[in-house]
Amino acid sequence: VSPQPPGALIAGVDAGGTTFKCALARLSGEIVARQRVPVTSPGETVNACVHFFEEALARQKGVLAGLGLASFGPVEVDPSSSDYGTILATPKPGWSNTPLLAMFRDRLGVPVNLDTDVNGALAAERRLGAAQGARSAAYVTIGTGIGAGLWAGEGFLAKPLHPEFGHIRVERHPDDLIFRGVCAFHGGCLEGLASAPALEQRFGDPAALPSAHRAWTIEAFYLAQACLTLYLSARPERILLGGGIMLAEGLLPKVHAAFADLLGGYLGLSEAGIAQLIQRPALGDDAGLIGALTLAQDAINETTWSG
Ligand code: ZN
């Protein structure tokens, strides 16, 4: 554990596709200030985050020791790469090849540690949330995009890369054969059919859809396929479904039912077993932010929150 000056604080950014959630915290992880920054251009967005941190640090009379970034993808997560922390080719306008980590490091002058938003959220859920005690777990976020992080054994799967689980192919729902899908690369991949923009294009604002709307039956069919693929390939003890879309009332039970249907009795999983396997994250909206603070701890070699 490296010695830190009195008043040392850490910063975390949960860098999502539409919002960057920022927090300043004590070394213990206790959050002392937070701010949501809407995503516009890379320069403007990073600038607004840095501005918040500088003001909050001045108010706290604190010294920043390190920053953790839990970022949307695709992003280079290999610390040995010269492009570490750079956003790769993305359909998100203006964001391809953005050196996100370097932009923050240059402005704040502290060690920065970056991983995917889903790995960050999964780290937080393993430590404090719904994946505590699970020997292997997956975290899937369903929002502007779809991504997944997987933990097994002693680490995240796919390192030094990260999974591109949002782009797996899925079987079409019989009532959803015409829609082209919104993925700029594949049309109707999982993200192309089940992300928030995909729902919005077919059915309008997802937040305004009643729980009995057929959109949720179709959505549950795709998410159940995603869970089944995860379960059959990696056999995680827990699959957490997070992101804005999962806030829809009644969606999780529909996913459970569709999952049971697709599994077809194989492996003898009971209804209760499926409900135990596939859950909502316990830390809710804060999982990514707490994950980012965990990454900040790692950045300054604190070992208190290991694993
Ligand atoms: Zn795709």
Side-chain angles (χ1 to χ4, degrees):
V1 177
S2 48
Q4 292 296 330
L9 296 166
I10 51 173
V13 179
D14 176 11
T18 50
T19 309
F20 278 21
K21 295 171 203 151
C22 305
L24 195 65
R26 299 192 200 290
L27 297 181
S28 64
E30 184 199 342
I31 294 174
V32 295
R34 57 166 77 210
Q35 173 95 43
R36 296 170 74 98
V37 172
V39 171
T40 53
S41 70
E44 201 174 75
T45 308
V46 170
N47 207 38
C49 296
V50 168
H51 189 70
F52 157 71
F53 285 129
E54 286 172 346
E55 279 201 347
L57 279 164
R59 264 200 316 275
Q60 298 288 331
K61 299 181 172 51
V63 184
L64 194 61
L67 169 74
L69 286 170
S71 173
F72 72 89
V75 60
E76 177 58 69
V77 292
D78 180 1
S80 71
S81 163
S82 58
D83 285 335
Y84 177 45
T86 295
I87 304 287
L88 307 174
T90 169
K92 204 169 174 45
W95 281 83
S96 293
N97 306 313
T98 294
L100 190 64
L101 182 148
M103 288 167 80
F104 273 102
R105 190 183 49 209
D106 293 350
R107 292 287 301 277
L108 293 170
V110 294
V112 183
N113 192 11
L114 176 144
D115 207 333
T116 60
D117 48 3
V118 280
N119 278 359
L122 181 51
E125 291 289 337
R126 289 187 65 248
R127 195 164 55 80
L128 299 168
Q132 284 180 85
R135 285 165 297 181
S136 57
Y139 186 104
V140 187
T141 183
I142 304 112
T144 315
I146 294 182
L150 276 150
W151 173 279
E154 290 304 311
F156 290 107
L157 297 190
K159 290 283 184 186
L161 304 173
H162 62 75
E164 282 291 350
F165 191 73
H167 298 276
I168 64 165
R169 299 205 66 83
V170 286
E171 182 188 336
R172 290 277 184 154
H173 190 279
D175 295 337
D176 192 34
L177 300 177
I178 296 159
F179 179 58
R180 204 185 154 271
V182 300
C183 178
F185 296 93
H186 316 113
C189 60
L190 175 62
E191 179 172 300
L193 294 174
S195 61
L199 276 168
E200 175 133 29
Q201 272 201 23
R202 320 215 256 325
F203 308 111
D205 181 5
L209 288 174
S211 62
H213 197 285
R214 71 188 173 88
W216 297 122
T217 307
I218 293 170
E219 180 73 7
F221 180 65
Y222 295 134
L223 297 183
Q225 289 184 61
C227 291
L228 190 69
T229 298
L230 276 174
Y231 185 62
L232 294 179
S233 52
R235 295 300 295 277
E237 292 183 343
R238 185 95 3 104
I239 298 173
L240 301 176
L241 300 182
I245 290 301
M246 288 310 300
L247 299 176
E249 200 193 320
L251 178 55
L252 185 63
K254 285 190 173 72
V255 174
H256 288 155
F259 181 88
D261 232 35
L262 293 169
L263 191 58
Y266 190 53
L267 301 172
L269 261 188
S270 66
E271 215 172 286
I274 291 172
Q276 178 73 16
L277 172 68
I278 306 170
Q279 297 187 26
R280 297 264 306 116
L283 303 174
D285 207 33
D286 270 352
L289 199 50
I290 294 169
L293 291 169
T294 308
L295 291 167
Q297 293 254 348
D298 292 346
I300 57 169
N301 298 319
E302 284 282 337
T303 51
T304 341
W305 288 3
S306 66

